[in-house]
Amino acid sequence: MKKTNFVLISLIILPILTWSTKIHAHGSKINYRETKAIEIQATYDDGTPMANAQIVIYAPNNRNIPWMKAQTDAEGKFTFIPNEEIDGNWDVKVRQSGHGDIISIPVSDRENLQTQIITSNFEYNPMQKLVMTVASVWGFVGTALFFSRRKS
Amino acid sequence: MRKKVLLRSILALSIPIYFLGGCHKRIQDTSEKGELSLIANGEDFIKEGFVAKDGWRVDFTKVNVTVDKITAYQTDPPFNAEKDEKMVISAKTVLLDAPTTVNLAADNRILVARVEASPGFYNALSWQMATAGPAENNTILLAGKAEKHRRKINFAIALKKPVQYTCGEFVGEDRKGFLTPRDKADLEITFHFDHLFGDGEKSPDDKINLTALGFAPFANLAENGAIKADMTTLKNKFSAREYQKLERSLTSLGHVGEGHCAKQGNF
């Protein structure tokens, strides 16, 4: 409600090694998966960390409903791993005692898929639509004529 | 025979036409407008009164603020008012294009404007704190009573400090500005009067209290239990430091929730 200082949020994208271990009767098996995490650093404009501040994260596919709620640590830091299947801008809101800020973090590891999605949203121009319509009409008329031909 | 061919052609054509029609209808739906409202909020400071940094209990009967030229934007990348960056606008809606005065003491949420708007996510806002017109010589009119150690003062203070604000997304408990077709959404401009008077509930060393003017400089101007002042009076009777603090505090009043705005004074 009442606020004075600016809130600064800095980001570090961290490579994280995620380990999982399976123990077998005579030996062990260790798997790992490398992924990327985002570290938030929230401070007031004088550099004081926003310790235990409220964190709300919004995924790109639903920017109105929180994807995660959490708190910063004593140094004003919080780390999260975005869902790999959701590309786009991940919005992070940090609030404490009437001070707040929100930032948008573009996350995209699958550029090829993103390109494909953009292509599927492509809108044809009027000339392209006309050509497609004429071609379609000709195709249907031709089909109708084919089935209506006299038997020899 | 020709009739048969014609009939079959029409039947064959009717299928793509049906689907094309359906697509067209869907496109129309997404272009349908919604209703976008702008709310002014003086927060509990104004509605319920507060204790200023210097111990004065302040209650308002009237807090008239004049706003003008309010436009909501859809920006991508999202506009960040705290960075010196240019707004990249994909759509915009003019919410208000004439000076309008609202009384923030009347309620926490004062409707300033309501317009039809294209759907989308309105994540930036520009607006002015302005004078009401050529005849009016103030941007803010404060009226009410203040009390400290059984000393009571009635005040009517006219403040003039036009400011142009450019803000990013509203920051608060919920997100604002998501407008879908045939639906409603609102945006908010928020006035932080603790920037002017300070906050008696916070430490004297808190930054808000170090930068705010407080109420005591106004109280010092009281005659017969009343203060009636405008900017000219204040400029003449305040010390240079107090007047500088006043101007700086007035400039920093405008926010979007807890979100800060870029400011341009005396535009």
Side-chain angles (χ1 to χ4, degrees):
Chain A
M1 183 178 73
K2 310 160 198 173
K3 44 247 118 195
T4 47
N5 303 330
F6 292 111
V7 178
L8 304 175
I9 303 175
S10 57
L11 301 171
I12 302 171
I13 296 178
L14 303 166
I16 296 281
L17 296 179
T18 307
W19 298 84
S20 63
T21 308
K22 289 180 180 174
I23 309 285
H24 298 284
H26 297 288
S28 62
K29 186 179 179 183
I30 301 173
N31 295 321
Y32 76 91
R33 182 172 67 95
E34 186 174 339
T35 184
K36 284 183 178 175
I38 292 173
E39 181 182 86
I40 305 295
Q41 166 77 74
T43 61
Y44 294 106
D45 59 345
D46 62 358
T48 309
M50 292 180 74
N52 305 315
Q54 181 197 57
I55 293 263
V56 185
I57 300 168
Y58 299 88
N61 61 345
N62 195 347
R63 301 179 78 184
N64 210 7
I65 305 294
W67 178 77
M68 177 191 277
K69 288 184 177 181
Q71 276 195 336
T72 58
D73 63 13
E75 296 177 337
K77 290 182 179 177
F78 178 73
T79 303
F80 74 100
I81 302 171
N83 186 333
E84 290 178 358
E85 294 176 0
I86 310 173
D87 285 333
N89 288 335
W90 287 74
D91 299 331
V92 179
K93 183 166 68 180
V94 184
R95 302 175 70 213
Q96 187 175 56
S97 305
H99 306 277
D101 198 3
I102 189 164
I103 57 166
S104 208
I105 307 161
V107 174
S108 174
D109 286 328
R110 298 173 297 141
E111 290 179 7
N112 290 337
L113 180 59
Q114 197 174 39
T115 305
Q116 191 181 337
I117 291 167
I118 291 169
T119 305
S120 70
N121 288 336
F122 181 80
E123 193 166 325
Y124 296 104
N125 67 36
M127 183 54 74
Q128 286 171 316
K129 284 178 182 171
L130 179 66
V131 170
M132 287 165 64
T133 305
V134 169
S136 299
V137 169
W138 176 246
F140 284 111
V141 171
T143 304
L145 285 170
F146 174 78
F147 285 112
S148 303
R149 71 191 188 282
R150 288 171 189 274
K151 288 181 183 173
S152 59
Chain B
M1 187 65 211
R2 280 185 181 175
K3 274 186 183 173
K4 257 187 179 176
V5 171
L6 189 63
L7 185 64
R8 284 174 179 172
S9 296
I10 288 169
L11 280 171
L13 271 170
S14 65
I15 295 168
I17 285 170
Y18 174 81
F19 283 110
L20 281 170
C23 291
H24 180 62
K25 191 171 186 300
R26 280 200 295 276
I27 290 166
Q28 273 189 330
D29 283 346
T30 57
S31 67
E32 279 187 29
K33 297 199 169 187
E35 188 179 279
L36 188 62
S37 299
L38 182 83
I39 303 297
N41 188 345
E43 300 189 304
D44 291 343
F45 267 106
I46 297 301
K47 187 70 174 53
E48 295 172 11
F50 63 98
V51 177
K53 70 171 192 175
D54 36 36
W56 280 93
R57 167 75 204 181
V58 184
D59 290 287
F60 297 97
T61 53
K62 189 186 286 183
V63 178
N64 282 354
V65 177
T66 302
V67 292
D68 194 5
K69 294 185 171 47
I70 305 177
T71 303
Y73 305 93
Q74 298 178 27
T75 63
D76 190 13
F79 176 68
N80 185 337
E82 294 178 30
K83 288 183 179 174
D84 186 19
E85 62 182 21
K86 193 180 174 189
M87 197 185 280
V88 183
I89 301 164
S90 56
K92 68 178 182 179
T93 295
V94 175
L95 292 160
L96 188 72
D97 60 1
T100 299
T101 301
V102 293
N103 179 9
L104 298 177
D107 201 350
N108 270 353
R109 289 169 53 81
I110 310 292
L111 179 67
V112 179
R114 181 182 286 148
V115 300
E116 276 199 338
S118 299
F121 176 31
Y122 289 89
N123 56 3
L125 195 68
S126 68
W127 57 287
Q128 293 179 358
M129 193 160 67
T131 51
E136 296 286 341
N137 199 31
N138 63 73
T139 50
I140 299 172
L141 179 64
L142 303 173
K145 57 185 179 183
E147 183 173 353
K148 183 181 179 183
H149 300 150
R150 295 184 181 175
R151 184 184 170 202
K152 295 179 182 178
I153 296 173
N154 292 316
F155 60 86
I157 303 167
L159 302 166
K160 185 182 180 183
K161 185 66 182 172
V163 185
Q164 168 76 49
Y165 294 104
T166 311
C167 319
E169 183 184 340
F170 170 89
V171 180
E173 186 64 32
D174 299 314
R175 300 188 87 176
K176 291 181 181 290
F178 292 95
L179 184 63
T180 51
R182 302 181 303 282
D183 207 347
K184 296 175 182 179
D186 64 7
L187 295 168
E188 181 182 299
I189 53 175
T190 318
F191 295 86
H192 293 183
F193 275 88
D194 53 339
H195 285 221
L196 175 60
F197 296 113
D199 185 350
E201 292 180 3
K202 291 188 174 174
S203 156
D205 296 334
D206 191 287
K207 190 177 177 184
I208 189 75
N209 288 333
L210 294 174
T211 55
L213 176 65
F215 191 79
F218 295 102
N220 293 340
L221 307 180
E223 291 178 2
N224 302 319
I227 305 166
K228 189 171 183 183
D230 60 13
M231 285 303 265
T232 307
T233 312
L234 298 174
K235 190 166 189 177
N236 290 336
K237 298 198 172 178
F238 276 4
S239 69
R241 190 162 178 269
E242 285 172 339
Y243 191 76
Q244 190 183 35
K245 265 193 172 182
L246 171 67
E247 287 203 304
R248 198 175 296 157
S249 300
L250 290 175
T251 303
S252 69
L253 289 179
H255 292 69
V256 279
E258 295 162 10
H260 291 262
C261 303
K263 304 143 190 119
Q264 185 187 347
N266 297 324
F267 52 88

